[in-house]
Amino acid sequence: MAAGTQCKQYPPTLLSFFIYNPKFGPKEGEEEKKILFYYPNEQEKNEKIRNVGLCEAIVQFTRTFCPTKPAKSLHTQKNRQFFHEPEENFWMVMVVRNPMIEKQSKDGKPVAEYQEDEILDTVYNAVLQQCYSMYKLFNGTFLKAIEMGGAEILKQRLEKFFFRYLQTLHLQHCDLLDVFGGISFFPLDKMTYLKIQSFINQMEESLGLVKYTAFLYNDQLIWSGLEQEDMRTLYKYLTTSLFPRHSESELSGRDPPVRMPISGSLQHYGRFLTGPLNPHDPEAKCRFPKIFVNTNNAYEELNLIVYKAMTAVVCFMTDASIELTKEFCCELDRLVGPQLTMLASDICEQYNISRRIAGPEKEPQFKFIYFNHMNLAEKSTIHMRKTPSLSLTSIAPDLLKILGDINSDFARVDDDEEIIVKAMSDFWVVGKKSDQRELYVILNQKNANLIEVNDEVKKLCATQFSNIFFLD
């Protein structure tokens, strides 16, 4: 009997990922030219051509019903396919195996039970779009690569980028926050904010070459000079890739967090997260990653300089056509290091004062996610930690799924609305959409009725979002 009840659970997994352009191989026998990137690369050539051809046919077929909105996903029992056209005629396709439970039948043979309803289209379409945004941040557009060196240059860039990037995709940890792709903002009083603004203006003036600046504290954004969409992608890279990588290095002792004083300068805790580990080292090389911003108009290629002191980080972006010298890096270290160290200390002190005034935090009876579409502000008390490889949440997966379902319903209509759901686990889930803002609340009140739940949500809005207008 025990053998009959054993079962294994398998999360959603990436089966294949490919990029193609139907215009590159229009004639029979030239189908392989359409394929610009294919994962897994070991797949047989004919199988690649067949899969790309099938996707092309699905897209063309759905265009007959709505020419401006072709298919975004295809559902089958075992898999889910997602389609995205980020640039004209360039298609990205992601094939995900549905989550599965493997049970043993009475005769001992394994039987697979696919959980098709556990995958949300909105979540994985957002993941696919994020793949393109991240590629574009570091490589520019597909079309620009074609203009520079033809399809071969584009293929090389795609291979180099996605070979590593796809390994960081952990699809089982994707949820509503991936749909929003929001930015967490650090709350500050006016005086400290003005200090930061003054610091940024002073550094941009002193360093001369800086075109854009972003300032973060404790992985939360305080100031950015970039366009919103560019900052959204850069923020994702910083908080889910660059910062965690350096935190691990610090914890393992590979990166010394404390800098010794240079003769004639103040002691400080500043150091480069990109570029030279120590700019004063004669052997140091001042190489910085390149990023592409404003790709729809000015198309700017920039050097990304990320500099950290304690938990404050400042990102300086300079024109990539101007080579950054060792002298520039030393000057930046000398100017920015001491001031950023003091500023980080001031922010920490101000934050602690604010928390003392507010008093000790009580464990609330509710959890919430808030997102503002206008400024991309995001706040979650559901997620204790969210990285590509780890998602620590304080609620069960079935409640996260309900949040995703409510969000999908909101996406279908432009009107403001409210949805209240009682889960099988007796939790109440409330979704409010009002004036480009979305609020999702989970209440642990088994015996409450609709009126009481509505009153609790009003109380939450009054305490947590007193300066934000929500329609009743």
Side-chain angles (χ1 to χ4, degrees):
M1 283 299 288
T5 57
Q6 281 180 0
C7 60
K8 291 181 186 175
Q9 284 197 324
Y10 296 90
T13 50
L14 182 68
L15 290 180
S16 59
F17 182 99
F18 48 92
I19 299 166
Y20 72 92
N21 188 322
K23 301 292 181 187
F24 287 5
K27 295 179 184 176
E28 196 172 335
E30 295 182 347
E31 291 87 356
E32 195 179 5
K33 291 180 181 177
K34 297 176 186 178
I35 305 171
L36 299 167
F37 174 79
Y38 199 103
Y39 167 87
N41 193 37
E42 311 81 60
Q43 191 82 272
E44 190 199 358
K45 185 179 86 170
N46 288 338
E47 185 68 14
K48 291 179 185 177
I49 292 169
R50 192 180 73 82
N51 290 338
V52 169
L54 179 62
C55 290
E56 199 181 340
I58 291 162
V59 168
Q60 285 301 109
F61 174 69
T62 55
R63 275 199 200 278
T64 58
F65 301 101
C66 185
T68 56
K69 288 185 179 178
K72 285 193 172 182
S73 65
L74 174 70
H75 298 206
T76 66
Q77 182 192 11
K78 295 181 180 179
N79 306 329
R80 187 80 56 94
Q81 295 187 27
F82 300 95
F83 313 101
H84 179 46
E85 187 185 20
E87 299 175 38
E88 190 177 3
N89 293 316
F90 288 95
W91 283 91
M92 299 176 74
V93 181
M94 181 170 75
V95 183
V96 178
R97 189 193 67 189
N98 291 332
M100 180 182 77
I101 295 175
E102 193 179 81
K103 297 178 179 178
Q104 283 196 333
S105 60
K106 290 177 182 178
D107 56 4
K109 290 180 181 177
V111 178
E113 199 174 277
Y114 291 93
Q115 299 174 295
E116 301 163 57
D117 296 334
E118 294 303 307
I119 281 192
L120 288 171
D121 282 1
T122 49
V123 171
Y124 291 98
N125 275 320
V127 170
L128 184 55
Q129 288 165 27
Q130 185 64 49
C131 289
Y132 173 72
S133 298
M134 204 61 81
Y135 169 85
K136 188 176 71 167
L137 180 70
F138 291 103
N139 296 277
T141 60
F142 296 159
L143 190 60
K144 199 76 171 179
I146 295 287
E147 289 171 359
M148 284 174 62
E152 277 310 307
I153 289 290
L154 177 57
K155 284 181 182 179
Q156 287 168 21
R157 288 186 180 181
L158 292 170
E159 183 72 35
K160 186 179 177 183
F161 178 80
F162 282 110
F163 176 75
R164 285 187 298 176
Y165 185 76
L166 292 178
Q167 292 174 42
T168 69
L169 285 186
H170 296 269
L171 299 179
Q172 70 270 32
H173 298 314
C174 298
D175 58 35
L176 189 57
L177 289 193
D178 294 282
V179 176
F180 294 145
I183 295 170
S184 178
F185 287 91
F186 188 81
L188 265 188
D189 65 294
K190 289 176 184 174
M191 281 308 296
T192 313
Y193 183 80
L194 286 171
K195 278 185 189 176
I196 292 167
Q197 185 71 67
S198 174
F199 163 78
I200 290 168
N201 292 340
Q202 188 186 341
M203 292 303 109
E204 287 183 348
E205 182 71 28
S206 303
L207 295 168
L209 299 177
V210 177
K211 291 186 79 172
Y212 304 102
T213 306
F215 192 103
L216 298 93
Y217 183 85
N218 206 20
D219 290 5
Q220 293 176 293
L221 186 66
I222 291 176
W223 163 264
S224 168
L226 282 174
E227 289 291 325
Q228 210 174 62
E229 282 303 314
D230 291 327
M231 189 61 230
R232 169 189 248 170
T233 311
L234 179 60
Y235 179 80
K236 172 94 174 171
Y237 164 69
L238 294 172
T239 55
T240 63
S241 180
L242 186 68
F243 295 167
R245 197 163 67 236
H246 280 272
S247 295
E248 286 168 14
S249 297
E250 280 182 22
L251 291 169
S252 64
R254 292 197 301 272
D255 276 2
V258 180
R259 288 281 307 284
M260 295 308 293
I262 310 301
S263 58
S265 71
L266 295 169
Q267 179 174 359
H268 63 81
Y269 293 79
R271 63 192 183 91
F272 288 91
L273 296 191
T274 60
L277 274 175
N278 180 5
H280 304 278
D281 181 351
E283 302 295 316
K285 289 183 171 62
C286 293
R287 293 200 197 107
F288 293 91
K290 305 282 192 291
I291 62 168
F292 295 80
V293 301
N294 297 320
T295 50
N296 293 330
N297 38 61
Y299 205 94
E300 298 172 273
E301 185 178 358
L302 306 168
N303 293 305
L304 176 64
I305 305 164
V306 184
Y307 192 88
K308 180 180 183 182
M310 300 201 285
T311 52
V313 173
V314 62
C315 304
F316 295 115
M317 285 146 268
T318 67
D319 193 323
S321 63
I322 301 169
E323 191 178 344
L324 298 177
T325 62
K326 206 153 82 77
E327 290 71 31
F328 174 84
C329 295
C330 289
E331 180 67 2
L332 188 149
D333 187 51
R334 184 185 69 80
L335 283 170
V336 178
Q339 289 204 52
L340 189 60
T341 300
M342 286 192 290
L343 206 48
S345 182
D346 288 348
I347 297 168
C348 181
E349 190 179 337
Q350 188 56 49
Y351 179 65
N352 288 335
I353 289 168
S354 302
R355 290 191 68 174
R356 278 201 299 272
I357 293 168
E361 285 186 16
K362 294 175 184 173
E363 181 65 29
Q365 284 194 299
F366 48 76
K367 307 279 184 185
F368 70 85
I369 294 177
Y370 166 78
F371 181 68
N372 184 336
H373 288 269
M374 289 177 282
N375 65 356
L376 306 181
E378 174 185 275
K379 188 175 181 183
S380 171
T381 60
I382 286 169
H383 297 81
M384 294 174 281
R385 192 173 173 209
K386 180 92 165 81
T387 66
S389 59
L390 177 71
S391 184
L392 290 176
T393 57
S394 54
I395 62 168
D398 64 313
L399 296 175
L400 272 175
K401 170 75 168 48
I402 292 171
L403 294 179
D405 287 333
I406 294 174
N407 172 259
S408 299
D409 287 342
F410 285 165
R412 292 191 189 102
V413 290
D414 295 326
D415 301 330
D416 294 341
E417 60 177 315
E418 182 174 17
I419 297 173
I420 301 177
V421 177
K422 190 167 189 187
M424 295 288 285
S425 52
D426 281 336
F427 281 84
W428 286 91
V429 185
V430 181
K432 281 172 82 77
K433 181 187 177 189
S434 176
D435 191 28
Q436 293 290 301
R437 298 176 177 94
E438 293 182 32
L439 175 66
Y440 301 84
V441 184
I442 293 175
L443 291 158
N444 183 15
Q445 294 186 357
K446 291 183 181 180
N447 302 320
N449 56 37
L450 273 173
I451 296 169
E452 289 166 339
V453 167
N454 202 37
D455 287 342
E456 283 295 327
V457 173
K458 281 181 181 176
K459 281 183 202 171
L460 168 66
C461 292
T463 54
Q464 297 281 344
F465 306 103
S466 56
N467 58 341
I468 296 170
F469 175 67
F470 280 106
L471 289 173
D472 284 334

